[in-house]
């Protein structure tokens, strides 16, 4: 199972890549995509531009499971990856380059899981 060391993680199996001072890309981990199975659809629930920590902002539908996307922190949505809707199964082949959102937040990376922390969760 692939778990890159240079990313941050959440207990809800999201990865976060820091791309600016306060900006992050977010997607699902390799572990999550394997649990879901072949992904057929990703739906986003984004009525507002601001997310509150713990709110569901989308759902990933696969053969084995339906997986809810839970906001890891309070944040402002900067961009939604529209390419996910065209071919959601790309998440299965390259989960760490198929991001869902870019958001901006003032969260400290100390509040997120490191590679070592996440490995302990999925063991």
């Amino acid at each position: 199972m692939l778990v890159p060391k240079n990313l941050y993680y959440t207990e809800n199996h999201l990865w976060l890549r820091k791309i600016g001072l306060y900006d992050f890309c977010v997607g699902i981990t390799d572990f999550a995509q394997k649990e879901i199975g072949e992904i057929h659809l990703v739906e986003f629930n984004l009525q507002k531009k601001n997310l509150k920590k713990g709110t569901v902002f989308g759902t990933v539908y696969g053969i084995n499971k339906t997986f809810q996307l839970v906001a890891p922190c309070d944040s402002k949505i900067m961009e939604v990856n529209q390419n996910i809707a065209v071919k959601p199964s790309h998440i299965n082949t390259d989960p760490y380059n198929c991001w869902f959102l870019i958001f901006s937040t003032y969260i400290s990376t100390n509040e997120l899981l490191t590679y070592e922390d996440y490995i302990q969760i999925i063991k």
Side-chain angles (χ1 to χ4, degrees), residues 2 30 33 37 39 87-98:
L2 182 62
D30 190 37
Q33 70 83 17
I39 296 170
K87 187 95 170 161
S89 63
H90 278 260
I91 298 166
N92 293 114
T93 56
D94 196 5
Y96 295 107
N97 284 313
C98 291

Side-chain angles (χ1 to χ4, degrees), residues 6-8 15-26 102-103 105-110 112:
N6 63 330
L7 300 177
Y8 298 97
W15 59 261
L16 293 93
R17 178 180 295 124
K18 194 164 185 165
I19 57 171
L21 189 57
Y22 300 112
D23 299 339
F24 293 85
C25 285
V26 63
I102 294 176
F103 64 78
T105 184
Y106 293 108
I107 190 171
S108 165
T109 54
N110 294 337
L112 300 170

Side-chain angles (χ1 to χ4, degrees), residues 24-25 37 48 53 65 68 76 92 101 108-109 120:
F24 293 85
C25 285
K48 300 178 182 176
K53 180 179 182 173
K65 275 186 180 185
Q68 292 192 321
K76 180 179 179 182
N92 293 114
L101 303 175
S108 165
T109 54
Q120 293 304 311

Side-chain angles (χ1 to χ4, degrees), residues 24-39:
F24 293 85
C25 285
V26 63
I28 62 170
T29 64
D30 190 37
F31 176 85
Q33 70 83 17
K34 285 180 179 170
E35 291 285 308
I36 296 166
E38 186 178 341
I39 296 170

